[in-house]
DNA sequence: ATAAAATTACCTGAAATCAGGTAGCTATTT
DNA sequence: AAATAGCTACCTGATTTCAGGTAATTTTAT
């Protein structure tokens, strides 16, 4: 056997999942698990990032949004195959992940056969989805028409505080901004998301994993 | 070595987690993994249930609530050690699980060392928690002092609509009530839950599984 | 049967949100 | 150098929420 070895990285904040993946990947001969990380930022501290062929990427990480992380990696190294993993199967998240260049999407509830199939497909350079996600992709959903707006840093800050139940006054106090400025940001957020009040905004945000 | 072998069962709907646990448990000599299941009901179809010593039990299962399942198992076989596992660390859930007889609670984000420690502790018949959960248990939480108020039927109806982002006017229209009546109910809800605005109310409701 | 709880509804007034507009300043990109 | 995007801040006015009170009617429980 002189076949090329694929260099693999696993990024997941659940050590137990990393172990499971190792177990799953160990019988496959032409791969080597180079590095396992439990957060997103340390990936950029990894020296041999450019040498990686495949990254197993958890969508929900403690530090960085997996969706944004995927885009960052792909911008730097478009050739790296990214296989997204998560526990929940929210259509919008799957779609965003694919839009950001992910080569596949696996639910952690997928069977071992599905995992193996997806790994094979991904190594072969194809898009790979577990059954449940595949079904999700096939159905055309209404929520897709409503694109998820891109938020600025300030807007994210304010949105986070709104989520905690803070009032405009409290937000302006904590961020050292004018009351009127915060009002403007709130209005812009409602407008961007096409919703009519704060609760609808927060519902959309949590349903679509915006933050 | 003629030490007694512990009979272990793993109940989790994520095959990858089962693999991870197998990997983790495999080096430990005095245990044998008897059965791995991906749902709760099939546990009762398992013939040698009474012979089990330890069950690793996922809290969120597709068919049965892990909290209820724990109680059922403990009623039938109080001697079986149950180690609960979940991804989220919600205090109320951890507390309920312990109340229902669980011998430990592990987050899937716990380190491998924490897993090993907890397994050792549990096998020794002690309560076992990962660090994060232990911290959760130690802190006397404000939410505990704040007892969950009992809601009337009407209040539940209105709360459900508020959760959907409906305004007072919309609620009064859908429930055929006066605008002023709905206002009164809203005020009563805010007062009952000791919160200052709608978002805080809805946060409390979803954090404590009120509805 | 009577008490307690729930539901409905109103009044008043303060506070906050929502909606439209404008506008200066800064940083970044082309 | 000019254009674009982001952040800041103000004005006005309508609408909604929040907070206090009272009170009649209906339902539920003892």
């Amino acid at each position: 056997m002189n076949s090329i070895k694929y260099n693999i990285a696993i990024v997941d904040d659940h050590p137990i999942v990393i172990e499971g993946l190792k177990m799953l990947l160990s019988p496959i001969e032409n791969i080597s698990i180079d590095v396992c990380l439990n957060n997103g930022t340390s990936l950029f501290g990894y020296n041999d990032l450019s040498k990686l062929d495949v990254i197993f990427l958890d969508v929900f990480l403690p530090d960085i949004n997996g969706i944004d992380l995927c885009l960052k990696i792909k911008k730097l190294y478009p050739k790296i195959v990214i296989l997204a993993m998560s526990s929940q199967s929210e259509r919008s998240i799957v779609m965003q992940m694919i839009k950001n260049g992910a080569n596949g999407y696996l639910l952690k509830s997928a069977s071992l056969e599905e995992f193996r199939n997806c790994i094979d497909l991904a190594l072969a350079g194809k898009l790979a989805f577990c059954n449940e996600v595949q079904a999700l992709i096939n159905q055309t959903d209404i929520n897709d028409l409503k694109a998820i707006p891109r938020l600025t840093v300030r807007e994210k800050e304010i949105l986070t505080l709104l989520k905690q139940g803070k009032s405009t006054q409290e937000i302006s106090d904590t961020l050292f901004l004018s009351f009127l400025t915060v009002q403007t940001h709130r209005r812009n957020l409602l407008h961007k998301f096409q919703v009519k009040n704060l609760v609808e905004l927060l519902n959309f945000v949590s349903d679509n994993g915006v933050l």
Side-chain angles (χ1 to χ4, degrees), chain A residues 18-29:
Chain A
I18 292 181
E19 290 305 303
L21 263 177
K22 278 184 188 169
M23 185 89 154
L24 196 69
L25 297 170
S26 58
I28 305 173
E29 285 192 355

Side-chain angles (χ1 to χ4, degrees), chain A residues 8-11 18 22 32-37 42-43 46 52:
Chain A
I8 311 269
I10 301 174
V11 183
I18 292 181
K22 278 184 188 169
S32 78
I33 299 168
D34 287 17
V35 62
C36 296
L37 304 165
S42 58
L43 192 64
Y46 180 62
L52 288 175

Side-chain angles (χ1 to χ4, degrees), chain A residues 61-81:
Chain A
L61 291 166
D63 51 347
I64 288 188
N65 189 316
I67 297 166
D68 297 336
L69 185 58
C70 178
L71 192 64
K72 276 190 182 177
I73 299 167
K74 277 286 176 177
K75 271 187 181 168
L76 287 170
Y77 309 102
K79 284 184 182 175
I80 297 178
V81 169

Side-chain angles (χ1 to χ4, degrees), chain A residues 29-207:
Chain A
E29 285 192 355
N30 59 335
I31 66 165
S32 78
I33 299 168
D34 287 17
V35 62
C36 296
L37 304 165
N38 49 28
N39 63 73
T41 41
S42 58
L43 192 64
F44 296 104
Y46 180 62
N47 287 326
D48 297 331
L49 182 55
S50 61
K51 291 173 189 164
L52 288 175
D53 298 298
V54 182
I55 298 176
F56 285 90
L57 181 61
D58 189 17
V59 176
F60 298 101
L61 291 166
D63 51 347
I64 288 188
N65 189 316
I67 297 166
D68 297 336
L69 185 58
C70 178
L71 192 64
K72 276 190 182 177
I73 299 167
K74 277 286 176 177
K75 271 187 181 168
L76 287 170
Y77 309 102
K79 284 184 182 175
I80 297 178
V81 169
I82 295 178
L83 268 175
M85 300 183 298
S86 81
S87 301
Q88 291 123 305
S89 60
E90 279 182 50
R91 186 179 162 75
S92 63
I93 292 172
V94 174
M95 287 315 202
Q96 281 182 82
M97 209 72 193
I98 296 167
K99 198 182 286 176
N100 284 6
N103 302 79
Y105 202 108
L106 276 157
L107 288 182
K108 287 176 187 174
S109 58
S111 70
L112 299 182
E113 282 71 26
E114 288 175 84
F115 263 93
R116 289 192 203 98
N117 281 339
C118 286
I119 292 162
D120 289 343
L121 279 170
L123 290 179
K126 290 172 188 167
L127 280 174
F129 305 105
C130 68
N131 299 341
E132 203 176 324
V133 170
Q134 185 65 56
L136 209 66
I137 293 167
N138 289 341
Q139 62 174 333
T140 38
D141 196 281
I142 313 153
N143 292 331
D144 276 343
L145 305 171
K146 212 178 189 176
I148 290 164
R150 198 172 61 82
L151 294 183
T152 68
V153 178
R154 207 36 141 188
E155 285 169 341
K156 278 182 194 170
E157 278 181 319
I158 288 169
L159 196 48
T160 306
L161 293 170
L162 288 171
K163 209 170 151 184
Q164 291 164 20
K166 297 270 192 297
S167 67
T168 301
Q169 187 60 64
E170 288 173 323
I171 294 171
S172 63
D173 287 346
T174 51
L175 295 181
F176 302 107
L177 291 173
S178 159
F179 181 89
L180 297 159
T181 304
V182 179
Q183 269 194 338
T184 303
H185 284 298
R186 287 184 68 144
R187 182 153 30 85
N188 291 341
L189 282 167
L190 291 180
H191 186 251
K192 272 194 179 182
F193 284 91
Q194 310 252 59
V195 290
K196 69 172 196 299
N197 59 40
L198 181 56
V199 177
E200 277 192 356
L201 172 66
L202 296 178
N203 282 343
F204 186 89
V205 166
S206 65
D207 285 349

